[in-house]
Amino acid sequence: MSKSDPKPTRPRPGPWPPLPEEAPMPPSSWAKKTGFRPKFSGETNASDSGQISLPPPRPPPPRGSEPDLEAGRVRSQPAATNGVTVPAAVAKAAPSGDKEQTVVKRRKESDGGSKNAGNGPNGQAVAVAVEPNSQPRRPARSEEVVDVLPNNGDDDGFMSRPSHIKYELRDTPGLVPIGLYGFQHYLSILGSIILIPLVIVPAMGGTYEDTANVVSTVLFVSGVTTLLQTSFGSRLPLIQGPSFVYLAPALAIINSPEFQGLNGNNFKHIMKELQGAVIIGSAFQALLGYTGLMSLFLRLINPVVVSPTIAAVGLSFYSYGFPLVGTCLEIGAVQILSVIIFSLYLRKISVFGHRVFLIYAVPLGLAITWATAFLLTEAGVYNYKGCDTNVPASNIISDHCRKHVSRMKHCRVDTSHALNASPWFRFPYPLQWGTPVFHWKMAIVMCVVSIISSVDSVGSYHASSLLVASRPPTPGVVSRGIGLEGLSSVLAGLWGTGTGSTSLTENVHTIAVTKMGSRRAVELGACVLIVLSLVGKVGGFLASIPQVMVAALLCFMWAMLAALGLSNLRYSEAGSSRNIIIVGLSLFFSLSIPAYFQQYGIAPSSNLSVPSYFQPYIVASHGPVRSKYGGMNYVLNTLFSLHMVIAFLVAVILDNTVPGSRQERGVYVWSEREVAKREPAVAKDYELPFRIGRVFRWVKWVGL
C-alpha cells in the first residue's frame, strides 16, 4: 500500500508497552490478517502496490547503559529510534538526519539449549542492520526485540555465562560436588566410550578376553587424552574417546579383501593394520593443527557444513542397528523402548534436583534390559533340548538346534566368558598387540577421516564454549586443540584401541543436561577412568554386554548423533531456502552415492562371506573404480562408500560457492587474538597452565 493513501483503522489492544505506530495494511490475505512474516532469504514484506512503507525516523531519546554483546563490556545504552534500538556509537557518529537503524534480536532459548544460541553467527544476540527508513515490525513468536538487557557482568566486567549452568569452566566448588557431578557426567556418556570396542573386536575375530582388554585400553587412553586436552589443548571440558567418525573406516579396513582368507588369530594381525593407519592419519591431523593450517581451514567450516557431515555419521549405520536387534527382538526392543521412555517421557522428573532419568537414560535402560534377559535365561526360556551354546554353529548337525542357534547365541546372557577370563589387575601398555603395520592406502583413508574428525571437533568447540566459557576460543586455540587431538590419536594408535581419540560430539548434549561445565570435574573423572582401566574385571564386565543390547543402544546413540549434527543449524538461518537445499542435497547424496558404490557388482543371489550388516564395508573388493592401480582403487572405492565423506564434500563446496550473507550462512565467529589478550576472562579460560604459553609465545598461529 502506498504511503500517500493510508486507510484509518480502529486501534486494537496490543502488548504493553505499546509498539510504535505503523501504517496499517488492509487484511486482504491470511498472511496480513495473522501477521505472518516469512524468513526465507531474499523475501521482503511489500505492500499491495509493491512499495515498502518508509515512515520518517524519530529523534532518539537518551537511555541508560547495557552490556556490549560484541566486546563483552558494559557500555552506554544505545539510543532508541522509533522503538528500535540504535548503537550509541552510531548515534554519536551519525547526524540527526541519518536514517540507519539497528535491531538487536535474540532467539528464545530452546529446550535444553543454550541461552547464547541466538540468531547471530556466534550463537548470541546480534545487531542486524535495517534498511534506511524501514518500517518497524512486531517481533515474531521465535524472537523478541531486546530493548534493555540486564547487567550481568562478572567481577572482571564481562558478560556472565549462561545462568542454567551450575558449574562453569573455571569453577572449583569442592571435591565432593566436583566428584558427584563428574561421576554423572561420565556415566551419562559412558555408552559413547565403550560401545565401539564391542563392535570392532568381534568383527576382527577377537575373543571375549580380547574384547575385555581393548575396553580397558580404551578407558585408559580416554582418561589420559582427556587430561591432555583439558590442560594443553582447547582447555574446554570435552571428554576424549573413540569417535563414531572412525567406526565406518575401521570396519572398511577390517573387511578388506586381504583379511578375508586369514587363518589363526586374525585379531592381532588386523589390529596392527588399524594401528598403523590410525597413527599416520593422526600425525596428519596433528600437523594440520600445530602448523596453523587449521586456522585457514576454519574459514570453510560453518554450521551448514558441520550439520550434514555429523548427521551423516549417525545415519550411516542404519544397516547395522536394527538388523542386529532383530536377532533377539524381545530383548532389543525392550532396550530401545526403555531408553526412549527414560530420555523423553520421564525426562522432566527430578530427584533431589537432578533429572536422573534423562541423565542416566542409557545406563538405566541397560541395567533393566540386562536384568530382564538374565531372568529369562535363568528361567530356561532359551534352553532347547539337546542343544549346546558352546558348540560352533558349523558343527551342529540337528536341524532342531540349527533353527534355534541364533536365539541361543544372541538372547542368552551367559554366553560371554569375558568376566571370568579377565584378570583382576592389568596395565594397558603401548604396542601390546605387536608392532604396527603401515600401508599407504589405509593411511590415506585415515588421513581423510581425520579431516572429518576435525570438522566434528570444531562444532563441539564452538557449541561447548557458548555454554561454559566467556567467549568462543580464538582460531589459534582451535588449532591447538585439533593438534592435540592428533597427538591423542597417535597415543590411541600406539596403545591399540582400534580407532582415534577425539572430542566426543555427545559432550555438548551432556553438558547441557548435567549442567556441569567445570574443567576440574572432567579431569577428576578422567583420573577415575585411568584407575578403572587398571582393574581387569571392569573391562571384562563391560565386554560381557550382550551384542543385541549393544546394537539397541547404538540405535539410540546414532539417532542422537544425527540430531546433534542437525542442531548446529540453529546458528544459521535454518529457514533459508539456500541452507535447506544445501543440507538436503548433502544428506541425500551422502546416502545415495555410497549406496551405489556398496551395491555395485553384487549379484542379488550372491552368497557373501560376511553378515548382511557388514556388507556395506566390503566395497573395496567390488567397487566401480577398477583401474590398473589396485591401491588407488581401494582408496577411492572406500572413501566414496563413506557417507560422511560425501556429505562433507557436497556441503563444503556448495556452502562456500553459493552466495549468502554471513548471518544467513551462520558463519562461526571466533574470538580475535588481540581482543582475547585484552580480556582477563578469556585469557584465564584458554591460556596454558604453568606459564607454558609464555615459552611458546612466538608461535602466534597456535594459542592466544
Side-chain angles (χ1 to χ4, degrees):
M1 187 181 70
S2 174
K3 178 181 173 182
S4 60
D5 188 23
K7 295 182 179 180
T9 58
R10 290 179 57 188
R12 296 182 299 174
W16 186 261
L19 293 172
E21 296 180 0
E22 54 182 340
M25 300 177 66
S28 57
S29 66
W30 172 87
K32 294 174 182 177
K33 289 179 181 179
T34 58
F36 173 77
R37 304 278 182 172
K39 290 187 176 181
F40 289 9
S41 61
E43 295 182 327
T44 57
N45 297 323
S47 60
D48 293 341
S49 61
Q51 301 178 359
I52 302 177
S53 301
L54 302 176
R58 300 178 182 178
R63 300 288 294 274
S65 62
E66 70 170 15
D68 184 3
L69 294 178
E70 293 294 332
R73 300 180 181 277
V74 178
R75 68 174 183 181
S76 59
Q77 171 71 16
T81 303
N82 199 14
V84 182
T85 52
V86 179
V90 176
K92 291 181 181 179
S96 59
D98 191 19
K99 300 179 181 180
E100 293 186 0
Q101 303 171 350
T102 303
V103 177
V104 179
K105 299 187 297 183
R106 181 184 52 156
R107 293 187 183 274
K108 291 184 178 179
E109 180 184 6
S110 59
D111 184 19
S114 168
K115 289 184 179 180
N116 288 351
N119 198 24
N122 207 20
Q124 299 174 346
V126 177
V128 181
V130 179
E131 296 295 332
N133 290 339
S134 62
Q135 183 176 354
R137 63 179 179 87
R138 297 184 181 182
R141 293 183 179 181
S142 61
E143 61 188 15
E144 61 186 18
V145 176
V146 179
D147 203 23
V148 178
L149 293 176
N151 189 358
N152 293 332
D154 57 11
D155 296 336
D156 297 323
F158 299 96
M159 290 290 294
S160 62
R161 271 83 74 186
S163 59
H164 67 279
I165 297 294
K166 290 186 178 180
Y167 298 112
E168 296 165 356
L169 186 60
R170 289 178 278 118
D171 290 345
T172 309
L175 183 61
V176 174
I178 287 294
L180 292 177
Y181 277 94
F183 173 76
Q184 76 171 14
H185 192 86
Y186 273 85
L187 192 59
S188 63
I189 207 172
L190 186 62
S192 302
I193 300 176
I194 67 171
L195 292 180
I196 289 182
L198 302 183
V199 175
I200 63 173
V201 176
M204 289 188 284
T207 62
Y208 297 119
E209 185 178 0
D210 294 331
T211 305
N213 292 338
V214 173
V215 170
S216 297
T217 304
V218 166
L219 295 178
F220 179 81
V221 173
S222 179
V224 172
T225 54
T226 300
L227 289 176
L228 291 176
Q229 185 66 243
T230 56
S231 300
F232 308 107
S234 64
R235 306 220 67 198
L236 292 168
L238 300 176
I239 299 175
Q240 308 295 295
S243 173
F244 290 117
V245 173
Y246 285 93
L247 180 56
L251 291 175
I253 293 176
I254 291 170
N255 291 279
S256 297
E258 53 263 39
F259 301 147
Q260 297 300 321
L262 292 178
N263 296 322
N265 191 353
N266 300 351
F267 167 72
K268 287 189 176 181
H269 182 82
I270 300 177
M271 177 61 82
K272 289 186 291 185
E273 298 275 356
L274 273 177
Q275 287 182 261
V278 169
I279 289 174
I280 295 181
S282 304
F284 172 76
Q285 185 181 19
L287 185 68
L288 185 69
Y290 284 125
T291 57
L293 293 176
M294 193 64 201
S295 300
L296 302 177
F297 189 53
L298 281 178
R299 302 175 183 177
L300 305 178
I301 304 176
N302 299 311
V304 180
V305 177
V306 174
S307 295
T309 303
I310 305 308
V313 175
L315 296 176
S316 62
F317 298 105
Y318 65 90
S319 63
Y320 182 91
F322 205 82
L324 194 55
V325 172
T327 57
C328 186
L329 194 58
E330 62 268 27
I331 300 299
V334 170
Q335 177 73 82
I336 294 176
L337 290 176
S338 61
V339 176
I340 290 176
I341 291 172
F342 289 144
S343 60
L344 293 178
Y345 294 99
L346 304 180
R347 72 184 190 277
K348 294 187 177 181
I349 297 179
S350 298
V351 179
F352 300 109
H354 300 275
R355 294 185 177 182
V356 292
F357 295 106
L358 178 60
I359 296 174
Y360 305 119
V362 171
L364 282 176
L366 178 61
I368 292 176
T369 310
W370 208 344
T372 303
F374 176 79
L375 293 177
L376 293 176
T377 303
E378 291 299 317
V381 175
Y382 306 116
N383 292 339
Y384 299 95
K385 186 177 180 180
C387 303
D388 187 1
T389 57
N390 297 322
V391 177
S394 58
N395 297 338
I396 297 178
I397 301 176
S398 172
D399 293 337
H400 172 71
C401 293
R402 283 181 177 273
K403 179 181 178 181
H404 301 290
V405 65
S406 178
R407 293 180 60 80
M408 290 190 300
K409 179 182 177 182
H410 294 98
C411 296
R412 297 180 65 93
V413 297
D414 57 354
T415 57
S416 175
H417 306 286
L419 186 60
N420 296 330
S422 302
W424 278 103
F425 176 81
R426 182 182 181 274
F427 182 78
Y429 56 92
L431 305 180
Q432 56 188 327
W433 316 119
T435 305
V437 179
F438 301 93
H439 283 102
W440 68 270
K441 59 181 183 180
M442 299 177 184
I444 291 178
V445 172
M446 280 300 178
C447 287
V448 176
V449 172
S450 67
I451 296 178
I452 307 297
S453 173
S454 301
V455 173
D456 182 10
S457 298
V458 166
S460 299
Y461 291 172
H462 183 267
S464 60
S465 66
L466 295 181
L467 287 172
V468 301
S470 57
R471 274 179 176 269
T474 63
V477 172
V478 175
S479 297
R480 188 179 70 196
I482 296 299
L484 190 58
E485 284 191 11
L487 293 181
S488 300
S489 296
V490 170
L491 296 180
L494 292 174
W495 259 260
T497 62
T499 63
S501 180
T502 66
S503 298
L504 299 177
T505 309
E506 296 82 354
N507 273 297
V508 179
H509 172 75
T510 304
I511 292 174
V513 170
T514 62
K515 303 179 182 180
M516 165 52 64
S518 173
R519 190 158 49 207
R520 296 291 178 252
V522 174
E523 292 171 348
L524 182 60
C527 295
V528 174
L529 278 188
I530 296 175
V531 174
L532 292 177
S533 69
L534 304 180
V535 183
K537 292 296 183 182
V538 173
F541 174 75
L542 296 175
S544 61
I545 300 176
Q547 197 173 16
V548 173
M549 298 184 194
V550 173
L553 288 177
L554 286 174
C555 287
F556 177 79
M557 301 298 298
W558 288 330
M560 189 176 70
L561 181 62
L564 287 174
L566 293 176
S567 68
N568 283 276
L569 288 175
R570 69 184 183 271
Y571 302 119
S572 66
E573 290 277 347
S576 166
S577 59
R578 171 193 182 275
N579 297 344
I580 290 175
I581 294 174
I582 292 176
V583 174
L585 289 174
S586 302
L587 288 178
F588 176 79
F589 284 119
S590 70
L591 298 176
S592 185
I593 294 178
Y596 166 73
F597 277 78
Q598 294 164 5
Q599 298 171 9
Y600 187 89
I602 297 182
S605 60
S606 60
N607 186 15
L608 300 175
S609 59
V610 298
S612 60
Y613 45 82
F614 282 148
Q615 288 182 10
Y617 308 107
I618 61 173
V619 65
S621 61
H622 60 80
V625 181
R626 299 181 180 181
S627 65
K628 61 180 180 179
Y629 302 104
M632 187 60 64
N633 297 342
Y634 179 91
V635 171
L636 294 180
N637 285 326
T638 302
L639 287 179
F640 284 106
S641 67
L642 299 179
H643 303 76
M644 58 186 177
V645 174
I646 302 299
F648 171 72
L649 291 177
V650 175
V652 75
I653 292 174
L654 293 180
D655 185 55
N656 290 278
T657 56
V658 178
S661 64
R662 291 177 61 88
Q663 181 181 0
E664 183 181 21
R665 297 174 62 194
V667 177
Y668 286 140
V669 177
W670 307 100
S671 298
E672 297 182 2
R673 189 168 181 265
E674 294 75 12
V675 176
K677 284 185 175 182
R678 293 197 304 265
E679 298 187 0
V682 181
K684 291 177 182 178
D685 285 344
Y686 300 111
E687 67 181 358
L688 294 176
F690 314 119
R691 299 185 178 181
I692 297 178
R694 296 185 179 181
V695 179
F696 298 98
R697 185 175 297 176
W698 57 276
V699 189
K700 297 182 179 180
W701 57 87
V702 178
L704 293 176

